[in-house]
Amino acid sequence: MELAEEFVWQGRTIACGRAGTGPAVVFCHGTPFSSTVWSRYADALSDTFTVHVWDMPGYGRSSKRPDDPVHFGAQAAAFAALIEHWGLDRPHVVAHDFGGAVSIRAALVEQVAYASLLLVDVVAIPPTGSPFFRFVRDHPDTLEYLPPYIHEAIVRTHVSNASHRGLTAADLDQLVAPWLTDDGRGAFYRQIAQYDEQYLVENERRIGELDLPVRVVWGADDGWIPVQTGRRLADLIPGADLVEVPDAGHLIQYDA
């Protein structure tokens, strides 16, 4: 699906796109990904829905200015502004990884109303974070100066590790491409360095306030966020159900 639009918000340029007709569905990506992870699903649903995709500031084709915050709070505010820009009233929202916490915070704090929420292998409640994340947070100003070939090897290994079944060479190339540019290298490490679990603590405290249909979908072989976290998340949300997908990892969009 093409990102044919640009939305300027607080100096940031957000790449976005929409297609189709029918009820509105908005896809939210996670980290270190972009709207690319949802492209095939958006295309498939555009015959019965008006589908909307976007790259969060600091990701994909959106602006990556060093001084723009890219933490959960900033992204939730950007998402709320984009929903208003699109003129959407209670869209269905589908979120993956980091996009889960962003969409939950937009509902609870920014007061954005959804028709439903589908949470797919999401970062939403603590604990999260891998040894790699912790290392980057401890060295945020050093790693962006790695030689490009070492940086590329790190990014490729990290993204590949999100799939249980293995990515094709073409899919891996597409997923890592935004991080291999001059502005992408620094942006890759900044989005990890600004990862603040306090937002997830607040989510967990308030998530019982969600009053809408919620489904949680999880890859049974998610090596980044174990399925036990998905089960606990579903238990915390009133009325939510859980679907576990066998033989699928964190990048469930490619595994199943």
Side-chain angles (χ1 to χ4, degrees), residues 26-97:
V26 182
F27 290 91
C28 295
H29 68 82
T31 181
F33 311 112
S34 69
S35 59
T36 294
V37 298
W38 288 124
S39 184
R40 286 174 283 195
Y41 294 82
D43 288 342
L45 289 174
S46 63
D47 58 345
T48 49
F49 295 91
T50 305
V51 293
H52 300 71
V53 295
W54 64 301
D55 286 346
M56 296 184 195
Y59 293 79
R61 290 174 49 193
S62 292
S63 60
K64 301 178 180 66
R65 302 188 308 177
D67 293 336
D68 290 336
V70 291
H71 53 64
F72 292 111
Q75 301 292 9
F79 185 43
L82 184 59
I83 293 289
E84 182 178 8
H85 167 71
W86 276 327
L88 300 183
D89 179 27
R90 298 177 61 83
H92 300 279
V93 174
V94 181
H96 177 244
D97 188 84

Side-chain angles (χ1 to χ4, degrees), residues 98-113:
F98 189 103
V102 169
S103 58
I104 290 169
R105 184 173 178 85
L108 295 176
V109 176
E110 304 292 338
Q111 298 296 299
V112 180

Side-chain angles (χ1 to χ4, degrees), residues 14-223:
I14 299 174
C16 53
R18 47 188 156 177
T21 58
V25 177
V26 182
F27 290 91
C28 295
H29 68 82
T31 181
F33 311 112
S34 69
S35 59
T36 294
V37 298
W38 288 124
S39 184
R40 286 174 283 195
Y41 294 82
D43 288 342
L45 289 174
S46 63
D47 58 345
T48 49
F49 295 91
T50 305
V51 293
H52 300 71
V53 295
W54 64 301
D55 286 346
M56 296 184 195
Y59 293 79
R61 290 174 49 193
S62 292
S63 60
K64 301 178 180 66
R65 302 188 308 177
D67 293 336
D68 290 336
V70 291
H71 53 64
F72 292 111
Q75 301 292 9
F79 185 43
L82 184 59
I83 293 289
E84 182 178 8
H85 167 71
W86 276 327
L88 300 183
D89 179 27
R90 298 177 61 83
H92 300 279
V93 174
V94 181
H96 177 244
D97 188 84
F98 189 103
V102 169
S103 58
I104 290 169
R105 184 173 178 85
L108 295 176
V109 176
E110 304 292 338
Q111 298 296 299
V112 180
Y114 309 144
S116 70
L117 182 58
L118 179 62
L119 300 172
V120 183
D121 290 83
V122 291
V123 174
I125 56 176
T128 60
S130 65
F132 175 71
F133 259 56
R134 291 191 292 272
F135 180 81
V136 173
R137 285 203 300 267
D138 291 341
H139 305 85
D141 299 324
T142 304
L143 292 174
E144 66 178 280
Y145 298 107
L146 287 170
Y149 72 96
I150 295 179
H151 166 75
E152 180 173 350
I154 289 173
V155 175
R156 285 184 175 276
T157 301
H158 182 52
V159 171
S160 296
N161 187 251
S163 168
H164 175 66
R165 298 175 66 105
L167 298 168
T168 68
D171 285 337
L172 180 59
D173 286 347
Q174 192 174 39
L175 290 171
V176 304
W179 305 118
L180 305 184
T181 62
D182 288 342
D183 60 349
R185 284 194 293 273
F188 177 79
Y189 299 108
R190 280 195 301 276
Q191 49 91 16
I192 299 176
Q194 293 185 31
Y195 185 91
D196 186 351
E197 199 163 274
Q198 188 57 42
Y199 287 105
L200 306 186
V201 172
E202 183 177 352
N203 272 354
E204 184 171 22
R205 179 174 58 82
R206 296 190 56 185
I207 205 164
E209 300 172 23
L210 289 176
D211 183 19
L212 74 164
V214 178
R215 170 164 288 174
V216 179
V217 176
W218 221 271
D221 295 289
D222 188 332

